[in-house]
Amino acid sequence: MGDTVVMVTVVGRRESAGKDFFPLTVEFEQRTYAAGKIPGGFFKREGRPSENAILTCRLIDRPIRPLFPDGFMNEVQVIATVMSIDPEISADIGALIGTSVAL
């Protein structure tokens, strides 16, 4: 997908966490170095996720949650990190496809 590179990592617990719900965590990290910018000055670190990152997490979470079997209560964490980005191509679709492949 152009020069956009997204690394998707999926990890899960082998045993149940003992909860009565399915603990699925999805994180979408779009760092400033992916666009070739290094933060400096007052803002040296990455801040809280942007609204676009939160919506992308929901975009990934909603389609994959029903794919797990009923009664599956093991903790699963999905992390999509944008390594480099092409301004013409959004990283959202790459993260969604990468999550499907990783699962």
Side-chain angles (χ1 to χ4, degrees), residues 8-13 23-25 74-79 102-103:
V8 180
T9 308
V10 177
V11 294
R13 260 191 174 170
L24 175 64
T25 304
N74 299 6
E75 185 175 356
V76 176
Q77 186 176 22
V78 177
I79 301 173
L103 287 173

Side-chain angles (χ1 to χ4, degrees), residues 1-95:
M1 294 183 52
D3 291 330
T4 301
V5 177
V6 181
M7 179 181 69
V8 180
T9 308
V10 177
V11 294
R13 260 191 174 170
R14 292 191 186 271
E15 67 276 347
S16 179
K19 299 179 181 173
D20 60 345
F21 63 94
F22 175 44
L24 175 64
T25 304
V26 178
E27 295 181 22
F28 179 76
E29 300 175 355
Q30 189 169 356
R31 304 293 185 180
T32 55
Y33 63 76
K37 299 177 183 175
I38 306 297
F42 182 72
F43 299 105
K44 292 190 188 304
R45 296 191 177 146
E46 304 287 340
R48 59 184 298 246
S50 66
E51 186 174 325
N52 184 32
I54 293 170
L55 291 175
T56 303
C57 291
R58 292 179 183 170
L59 179 73
I60 295 171
D61 180 273
R62 299 305 187 261
I64 65 170
R65 191 172 285 272
L67 298 178
F68 290 93
D70 291 337
F72 187 80
M73 300 297 173
N74 299 6
E75 185 175 356
V76 176
Q77 186 176 22
V78 177
I79 301 173
T81 306
V82 179
M83 304 303 278
S84 68
I85 193 163
D86 185 354
E88 296 176 4
I89 299 173
S90 177
D92 304 351
I93 303 303

